[in-house]
Every structure is written in C-alpha cells, then in structure tokens.
Amino acid sequence: MTLFDQISKDIVAAMKAKDKVALEALRNIKKVFLEAKTAPGSDGELTDDAALKILQKLAKQGRDVATLYTSQNRQDLADAELAQVTVIEKYLPQPMSEAEIEAAVRDIIAQTGAQSVKDMGKVMGAANKQMAGKADGKTISEIVRRLLNECHTDGLMPA
C-alpha cells in the first residue's frame, strides 16, 4: 500500500474515531499529496519517496511554526501545531542517529575517494541520496564537513 493510500485509509479511521487533530493533519497531508500529483510536469503519480519528502517538509514546517508560536508566548497554538507534527511523524521512517550518519558518511567518503572539503559536493550528493528521509540534511552536511576537514588536516582517511 502506498503512503497516499495509507493516508486515505487513515482519514476514514480518524473520522470514525472522531480524532479531530489526526483528521486535520491527515487531510492536510492528503491535500499536499494531491497538489503534488496534479502539479504541472507531474505524471499524475506520487512515489513513496516523493511522499516521504513532502511529509518531512510538513513536519519541519510544523516544528518551525511551533517554535515561532512559543517565542510569541502562544503555547496553546504551539501545542496544537506539535500535535499535528506528531501525527505526521508516524509516517516517517525512524531517523538515523549521529553515529549511524557518521558511519554512513565515512563509507561514502571512502567510496568516492574524497580527500578535502573541495569534494563536499560529491559526498553530499551521495549522502543525501542514500540517507533521504532518514537524516536531516543539515546534520549530514555538518558531519561531512567535519570528516572532510579531518581528512585534510591529517592527510589520512578518518577511521
């Protein structure tokens, strides 16, 4: 079952359970999915990879909005936003730990033969492709930069 189908099925379940928070979050997800399916240049299909990227974006936006509400002393609105983020996150894969990301980046550096920060684009391209949906791009970037700096200063591959 695709993510799109799962969301549609879960909307029905949320309606039956009278779960307003989940229903609102799921309807929003489905709306964004439908927009992606019917966007110009789209083939009318939504792959699970594309759906995961959309879910990640929605979760990040929700967390950012909640932070904004908190900074404006509107905890009620922040809590509502975070409740929707919780619903969205149920559909996302378990994120990788920093240690797992670092191990994967080390492998990618070895595979690509990267030796300095000049090779960051090559490593980031492979890392983003391999860890899509499982790790935050900013975290990946920080780890890649740190490991490539270690390569450059030591003249050796990091162990």
Side-chain angles (χ1 to χ4, degrees):
M1 178 180 295
T2 66
L3 268 173
F4 183 83
D5 295 335
Q6 183 65 48
I7 296 293
S8 297
K9 181 179 165 194
D10 291 348
I11 286 173
V12 173
M15 281 192 283
K16 288 180 181 176
K18 295 184 179 4
D19 184 346
K20 290 181 181 179
V21 172
L23 184 59
E24 185 179 345
L26 293 168
R27 282 182 171 161
N28 185 41
I29 292 168
K30 187 168 182 178
K31 176 186 78 80
V32 176
F33 280 2
L34 286 170
E35 288 170 355
K37 284 177 87 166
T38 59
S42 166
D43 61 1
E45 292 296 317
L46 182 67
T47 65
D48 277 353
D49 287 343
L52 279 175
K53 287 180 183 175
I54 290 169
L55 289 172
Q56 286 176 316
K57 183 177 176 183
L58 290 173
K60 183 180 183 322
Q61 286 174 342
R63 285 189 294 271
D64 291 347
V65 168
T67 302
L68 180 65
Y69 285 148
T70 301
S71 71
Q72 295 174 348
N73 294 323
R74 292 299 312 264
Q75 196 58 44
D76 56 327
L77 296 175
D79 291 342
E81 199 66 42
L82 290 173
Q84 290 201 13
V85 169
T86 302
V87 173
I88 295 167
E89 287 176 338
K90 290 178 186 173
Y91 299 94
L92 293 172
Q94 195 65 25
M96 296 172 74
S97 69
E98 280 204 32
E100 292 170 323
I101 296 170
E102 186 169 327
V105 168
R106 286 180 191 279
D107 289 343
I108 292 167
I109 289 172
Q111 291 168 8
T112 60
Q115 296 187 1
S116 72
V117 179
K118 291 178 184 175
D119 300 318
M120 187 159 176
K122 185 179 0 176
V123 176
M124 282 301 297
N128 283 331
K129 190 174 287 186
Q130 182 178 326
M131 294 181 260
K134 300 176 198 158
D136 175 55
K138 183 178 178 188
T139 305
I140 294 171
S141 176
E142 289 169 357
I143 291 172
V144 167
R145 185 175 305 279
R146 179 172 48 83
L147 292 178
L148 288 175
N149 277 329
E150 287 175 16
C151 288
H152 185 66
T153 56
D154 296 344
L156 302 170
M157 271 304 296

